[in-house]
């Protein structure tokens, strides 16, 4: 009887151990799958006029609220290893990449209150990531250079101070091209796509509408001046890659396109084209749609899939 009881206990112990091992393997399997499919977003945001979103400007309140609070519904910043940020306020003949461990802020605006020249945003740089980006671009046939000197302009620190005030995520800033060629910018995005699979977000900072003369003359017009172009953007960005690419490469032939981004002054549109190129195969999602001064319609987009 004692022997039978002992055998019964041993069988139960073996069974429990066996089931525990199976459970651990199942958990390990699904954990690894989750890690494999985790991909950082490609995201385009509007950064507004100079430091106005940071100054509490009433005309920017919708944009400020989105960058500070609304963005968190779409991006978990705690999951990001780093951010590659393409800024409209840095134009170069070849793609230029910030490559220092730390970058001071570059206050590339004028005529604003003294406090707007005292901002701090001490997120680290990432020299190793900068080198990897340069290598990736060069291998894709895109000329690129490193720059350890230039500070982070307001296309970087204005949205980032609102989106991630903790400043605990490394940032590498990337320029757009003076050519303002949509095919070149889309190709840059396609090359950067691979970094999303490494948990690195690709963020474009610009404006989906940016006409400086109209900002002055049409500021109280009382009707949306770029409704057709904004509708085109939404259709293009929420399409799968082939259609998206085809449409965005012909962006300047669309109704209201050159009123929204005048010739030789489309630098604020180029980050969106880069981000669309980094979006992968699937469609994007419009996550921001708001009328600045009830006149200029701004849209933001995100791509979260492969």
């Amino acid at each position: 009887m004692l022997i039978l009881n002992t055998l019964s206990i041993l069988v139960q112990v073996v069974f429990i151990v066996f089931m525990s091992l199976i459970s651990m393997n199942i958990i390990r399997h699904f954990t690894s799958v989750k890690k494999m499919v985790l991909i950082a977003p490609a995201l385009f945001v509007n950064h507004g006029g100079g430091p106005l979103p940071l100054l509490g400007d009433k005309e920017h309140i919708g944009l400020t609220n989105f960058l500070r609070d609304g963005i968190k519904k779409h991006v978990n910043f705690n999951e990001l290893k780093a951010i590659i940020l393409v800024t409209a306020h840095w134009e170069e003949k070849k793609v230029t990449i910030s490559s220092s461990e730390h970058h001071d802020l570059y206050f590339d605006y004028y005529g604003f209150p003294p406090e707007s020249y005292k901002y701090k945003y001490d997120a680290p740089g990432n020299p190793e990531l900068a080198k990897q980006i340069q290598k990736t671009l060069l291998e894709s046939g895109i000329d690129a250079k490193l720059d350890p000197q230039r500070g982070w302009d307001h296309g970087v620190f204005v949205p980032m101070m609102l989106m991630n005030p903790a400043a605990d995520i490394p940032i590498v800033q990337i320029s757009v091209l003076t050519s303002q060629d949509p095919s070149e910018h889309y190709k840059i995005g396609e090359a950067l796509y691979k970094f999303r699979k490494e948990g690195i977000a690709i963020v474009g900072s610009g404006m989906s509408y940016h006409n400086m003369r109209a900002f002055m003359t049409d500021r109280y017009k009382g009707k949306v001046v770029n409704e057709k172009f904004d509708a085109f953007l939404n259709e293009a960005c929420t399409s799968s890659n082939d259609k998206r690419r085809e449409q965005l490469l012909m962006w300047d032939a669309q109704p209201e396109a050159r009123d929204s981004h005048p010739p030789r002054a489309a630098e604020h549109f180029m980050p969106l084209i880069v981000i669309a190129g980094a979006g992968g195969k699937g469609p994007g999602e419009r996550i921001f749609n708001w009328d600045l001064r009830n006149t200029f319609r701004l849209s933001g987009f995100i791509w979260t899939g492969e």
Side-chain angles (χ1 to χ4, degrees), residues 90 96-104 122-131 145-152 170-173:
W90 192 11
T96 310
I97 306 157
S98 66
S99 58
S100 180
E101 292 182 357
H102 174 79
H103 290 267
D104 293 328
D122 292 324
N126 191 324
E128 185 56 38
L129 175 58
K131 292 176 184 177
K145 65 178 181 179
L146 302 176
D147 184 340
Q149 301 297 326
R150 188 183 189 272
W152 287 344
I171 296 173
V172 173
Q173 175 183 239

Side-chain angles (χ1 to χ4, degrees), residues 9-23:
I9 292 170
L10 284 172
V11 168
Q12 291 179 43
V13 170
V14 170
F15 179 78
I16 291 170
V17 171
F18 178 73
M19 292 305 295
S20 297
L21 290 172
I22 291 176
S23 298

Side-chain angles (χ1 to χ4, degrees), residues 172-185:
V172 173
Q173 175 183 239
I174 293 185
S175 75
V176 293
L177 297 171
T178 54
S179 68
Q180 297 183 5
D181 184 320
S183 62
E184 291 182 325
H185 287 88

Side-chain angles (χ1 to χ4, degrees), residues 32 38 43 68 78 88 108 113 136 184 215 227 239 247 250 257 282 295:
S32 64
L38 180 63
L43 170 71
R68 186 184 57 218
N78 293 326
D108 55 333
T136 296
E184 291 182 325
F215 281 149
E227 189 171 0
S239 298
Q247 289 185 312
M250 298 294 292
T295 306

Side-chain angles (χ1 to χ4, degrees), residues 256-268:
E256 301 174 348
R258 282 310 187 183
D259 291 328
S260 300
H261 299 279
R264 298 180 300 281
E267 73 287 336
H268 277 71

Side-chain angles (χ1 to χ4, degrees), residues 29-164:
H29 169 74
F30 282 108
T31 302
S32 64
V33 168
K34 183 178 179 181
K35 287 180 179 178
M36 269 178 19
V37 300
L38 180 63
I39 182 168
L43 170 71
F44 173 78
V45 297
N46 299 271
H47 59 239
L52 290 174
L54 299 176
L55 291 170
D57 177 66
K58 292 181 180 179
E59 292 182 340
H60 280 72
I61 194 66
L63 176 58
T64 300
N65 287 343
F66 172 77
L67 292 174
R68 186 184 57 218
D69 303 316
I71 193 70
K72 294 178 177 63
K73 299 176 183 177
H74 307 280
V75 180
N76 184 349
F77 288 93
N78 293 326
E79 291 182 345
L80 303 182
K81 294 181 180 178
I83 292 173
I84 297 171
L85 199 150
V86 184
T87 171
H89 285 275
W90 192 11
E91 284 191 283
E92 298 281 353
K93 290 183 178 179
K94 65 173 70 175
V95 180
T96 310
I97 306 157
S98 66
S99 58
S100 180
E101 292 182 357
H102 174 79
H103 290 267
D104 293 328
L105 300 191
Y106 172 34
F107 299 107
D108 55 333
Y109 44 67
Y110 58 91
F112 292 98
E115 62 265 31
S116 63
Y117 300 90
K118 299 176 182 177
Y119 293 132
K120 301 289 184 183
Y121 193 74
D122 292 324
N126 191 324
E128 185 56 38
L129 175 58
K131 292 176 184 177
Q132 292 175 21
I133 294 168
Q134 182 191 31
K135 181 174 183 290
T136 296
L137 292 175
L138 291 173
E139 290 174 348
S140 299
I142 301 166
D143 205 359
K145 65 178 181 179
L146 302 176
D147 184 340
Q149 301 297 326
R150 188 183 189 272
W152 287 344
D153 58 59
H154 79 271
V156 178
F157 68 80
V158 168
M160 289 308 306
M161 285 177 69
L162 292 166
M163 293 194 297
N164 186 44

Side-chain angles (χ1 to χ4, degrees), residues 209-228:
Y209 176 95
H210 192 267
N211 182 325
M212 290 302 296
R213 179 175 293 181
F215 281 149
M216 300 301 295
T217 60
D218 294 344
R219 59 185 301 169
Y220 300 116
K221 200 164 187 176
K223 66 175 184 178
V224 174
V225 298
N226 62 313
E227 189 171 0
K228 292 179 181 177

